[in-house]
């Protein structure tokens, strides 16, 4: 089927980034969330993201205006009736996501593919909450979405070949590199990288080095563009902790046990960039 109109459910950092990526690639986008304040914040995220692209010389002012004109921010779920493709980017909670997909399943046309941007939760149980498991798939973008090339494409147990083909091709049309992985908690990237972040937090907890030292070691020694603690602040320490807990609950393996320092920082509300303080302070 031809995809022209995309619905992005969730207007946080990931949802707004996904909306920006689709709009910048010429798609008409409806970005939906539960309140006018949230969708207004999401539009502000998009505008900031486009301004960053202008600052890097990647797009022009005209490109920015065109992309913004393609995005409609709304709280009206009826907009799902017009969607040719749906990407969900709400909070990482299985029951919340299932409820969202049940509602979408009842509104969207039968042929529409439903995709989840989940970073850690298995796809098959979400698909089972709908009447279209063969047209359900994981499409895991990475933050910051406009800049990161990787998209993990995750088939559920009943995901159809055509659904997989459409999503792989769609990722390519966005200028991304789709990598197909199997359905499992954390998939590939989160399962590997989150453990590395947690180990970096453990090094800090044990006094091995300062945040700056730990990050510099990984940037200079492993060639990473950002250190693991910098990435944790960007993702949000609450998200990092949640993924660790999901993996620990699923595998019952101590390597997925979150560092006590990470848990304390989340409890204190020091979540990284979005709260102005995490492993680093932000103005």
């Amino acid at each position: 089927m031809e995809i022209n109109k995309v619905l992005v459910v969730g207007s946080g950092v990931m949802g707004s980034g996904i909306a920006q990526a689709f709009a910048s690639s010429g798609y008409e986008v409806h970005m939906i969330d539960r309140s006018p304040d949230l969708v207004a914040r999401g539009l502000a995220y998009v505008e900031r993201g486009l301004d960053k692209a202008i600052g890097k010389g990647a797009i022009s002012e005209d490109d920015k205006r065109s992309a913004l004109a393609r995005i409609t921010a709304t709280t009206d779920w009826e907009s799902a009736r017009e969607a040719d493709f749906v990407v969900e980017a709400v909070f990482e909670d299985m029951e919340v996501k299932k409820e969202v997909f049940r509602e979408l399943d009842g509104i969207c046309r039968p042929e529409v593919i439903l995709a989840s941007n989940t970073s850690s939760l298995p796809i098959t149980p979400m698909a089972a909450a709908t009447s279209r498991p063969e047209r359900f798939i994981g499409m895991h973008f990475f933050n910051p979405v406009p800049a990161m090339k990787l998209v993990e494409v995750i088939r559920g147990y009943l995901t159809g070949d055509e659904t997989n083909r459409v999503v792989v091709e769609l990722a390519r049309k966005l200028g991304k590199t789709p990598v197909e992985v199997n359905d499992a908690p954390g998939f590939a990237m989160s399962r590997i990288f989150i453990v590395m972040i947690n180990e970096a937090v453990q090094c800090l907890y044990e006094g091995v080095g300062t945040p700056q030292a730990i990050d510099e070691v990984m940037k200079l020694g492993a060639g990473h563009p950002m250190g693991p603690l910098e990435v944790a602040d960007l993702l949000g320490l609450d998200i990092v902790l949640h993924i660790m807990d999901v993996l620990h609950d699923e595998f019952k393996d101590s390597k997925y046990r979150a560092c006590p320092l990470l848990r304390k920082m989340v409890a204190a509300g020091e979540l990284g960039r979005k709260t102005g303080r995490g492993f680093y302070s932000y103005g």
Side-chain angles (χ1 to χ4, degrees), residues 94-95 98 102 121-130 136 156-157 183:
M94 180 63 79
E95 292 309 313
K98 282 182 177 180
R102 287 188 193 102
L121 299 172
I123 298 303
T124 299
M126 281 185 261
T130 76
F136 196 104
Y157 184 67
D183 189 18

Side-chain angles (χ1 to χ4, degrees), residues 212-230:
Q212 293 85 352
I214 292 165
D215 281 340
E216 280 298 296
V217 164
M218 292 306 297
K219 286 189 284 188
L220 297 176
H224 292 188
M226 295 177 69
L229 301 179
E230 291 175 312

Side-chain angles (χ1 to χ4, degrees), residues 16 19-27 29 42-72 146:
S16 60
Q20 179 183 331
F22 274 102
S24 296
S25 298
Y27 293 91
V29 179
L43 278 177
Y45 285 153
V46 172
E47 187 157 8
R48 283 204 296 272
L50 292 168
D51 285 338
K52 285 182 181 178
I54 290 172
K56 294 176 180 178
I59 65 171
S60 67
E61 286 283 355
D62 284 344
D63 293 330
K64 173 187 172 180
R65 283 190 289 270
S66 296
L68 286 173
R70 294 187 193 104
I71 300 176
T72 300

Side-chain angles (χ1 to χ4, degrees), residues 59-112:
I59 65 171
S60 67
E61 286 283 355
D62 284 344
D63 293 330
K64 173 187 172 180
R65 283 190 289 270
S66 296
L68 286 173
R70 294 187 193 104
I71 300 176
T72 300
T74 182
T75 59
D76 184 7
W77 282 86
E78 289 300 305
S79 61
R81 296 191 187 280
E82 302 175 14
D84 301 318
F85 183 80
V86 177
V87 183
E88 165 273 320
V90 303
F91 183 68
E92 283 286 281
D93 180 276
M94 180 63 79
E95 292 309 313
V96 171
K97 289 182 184 290
K98 282 182 177 180
E99 185 56 37
V100 166
F101 282 119
R102 287 188 193 102
E103 188 158 2
L104 290 167
D105 189 43
I107 300 173
C108 294
R109 303 191 309 278
E111 69 273 18
V112 171

Side-chain angles (χ1 to χ4, degrees), residues 194-211 214-215 228-229 232 237 240 244 254-265 279:
I194 289 293
V195 173
M196 187 188 74
I197 291 175
N198 190 60
E199 190 61 28
V201 180
Q202 188 71 30
C203 285
L204 180 64
Y205 183 55
E206 294 174 5
V208 173
T210 64
I214 292 165
D215 281 340
L229 301 179
L237 272 59
V240 173
M244 287 298 299
S254 61
K255 71 182 177 185
Y256 299 117
R257 184 180 296 123
C259 175
L261 176 59
L262 176 62
R263 203 170 290 281
K264 286 180 181 179
M265 291 177 71
F279 296 109

